[in-house]
Amino acid sequence: MNRLLHFILFFFIAVTVMASDRPKFDRAAYEKEQHQFVIREAKLTKEEAKAFFSIYDEMRAKERQLFKQMHKHKKQRPATEEECRKAIIERDKLDIARKQLQQKYHLRMLKVLPASKVMEALRQSEKFDQMKFRQMSRSHRHPRKSANRDTQKPRTKNQAQER
């Protein structure tokens, strides 16, 4: 019995230590790195970047609010048919609200930048997000293998072709 108690105690200590080693998400650092990546890859001037990111960051902040609501609905497990029906309708409303929000902000972006610049900046922003999520996913599955990968900057198209 004493060994079992020691094993359980050791297990909880190990789990606690492993969980505390994970770095916390730093939104400011993420956004700064994303901005630099998008500016470089979409070839935005300082004025274009300022105009784009003032609108883009506002849009993302409002999207985060919608994502929180969506996440809350995903956690719910409705028991009755009527509750399920309401949950589906609410999810659809949130999806539509998100798309309308994007459309509103995209139209604002198009007023201050050429469409080709807006399209490329949005494309590079999505690309950056995908690369970072892949890195985070790798680091959670294989923390030791990906530790040095996480410190590297995302590869550009030219760097990827060189390899």
Side-chain angles (χ1 to χ4, degrees):
M1 186 68 171
N2 198 12
R3 279 187 163 179
L4 179 63
L5 187 61
H6 280 89
F7 176 75
I8 292 171
L9 182 64
F10 175 75
F11 176 75
F12 282 115
I13 290 172
V15 169
T16 305
V17 169
M18 287 173 55
S20 66
D21 285 347
R22 277 193 199 145
K24 300 287 183 204
F25 179 72
D26 183 0
R27 185 183 319 277
Y30 182 89
E31 287 178 358
K32 182 180 177 187
E33 191 176 348
Q34 181 186 43
H35 288 197
Q36 291 170 348
F37 181 83
V38 171
I39 290 167
R40 183 178 64 244
E41 295 300 311
K43 297 174 180 62
L44 298 177
T45 65
K46 287 186 181 207
E47 295 79 26
E48 291 171 336
K50 184 178 179 184
F52 175 78
F53 284 113
S54 67
I55 298 168
Y56 180 81
D57 291 341
E58 185 180 324
M59 178 183 78
R60 289 295 285 247
K62 290 184 179 181
E63 274 185 316
R64 273 194 299 278
Q65 294 171 349
L66 286 174
F67 283 132
K68 285 179 184 177
Q69 292 176 21
M70 292 169 141
H71 185 69
K72 184 177 77 175
H73 284 285
K74 285 182 181 181
K75 284 184 160 185
Q76 294 176 347
R77 297 287 181 230
T80 66
E81 285 296 314
E82 185 58 28
E83 289 173 346
C84 289
R85 184 178 192 289
K86 286 179 183 177
I88 291 169
I89 291 170
E90 187 59 31
R91 276 183 170 180
D92 289 346
K93 284 180 183 177
L94 289 170
D95 283 339
I96 291 168
R98 181 172 166 254
K99 278 305 188 186
Q100 288 173 336
L101 178 78
Q102 287 178 338
Q103 183 181 37
K104 173 185 161 188
Y105 279 92
H106 291 168
L107 291 173
R108 281 182 56 194
M109 290 173 195
L110 290 169
K111 288 180 182 177
V112 296
L113 288 174
S116 58
K117 291 281 190 168
V118 171
M119 184 175 226
E120 189 58 26
L122 292 171
R123 182 178 291 141
Q124 293 304 325
S125 173
E126 287 176 18
K127 182 179 176 180
F128 180 83
D129 288 341
Q130 289 171 353
M131 288 187 303
K132 287 308 245 182
F133 287 132
R134 249 186 255 123
Q135 284 178 356
M136 285 184 227
S137 174
R138 265 190 240 121
S139 69
H140 288 298
R141 282 184 291 190
H142 308 290
R144 291 185 184 153
K145 285 184 180 179
S146 61
N148 55 358
R149 283 187 196 153
D150 289 341
T151 59
Q152 296 173 352
K153 291 184 179 175
R155 276 191 258 148
T156 62
K157 190 187 308 183
N158 294 339
Q159 290 171 333
Q161 289 173 350
E162 290 173 4
R163 289 188 170 196

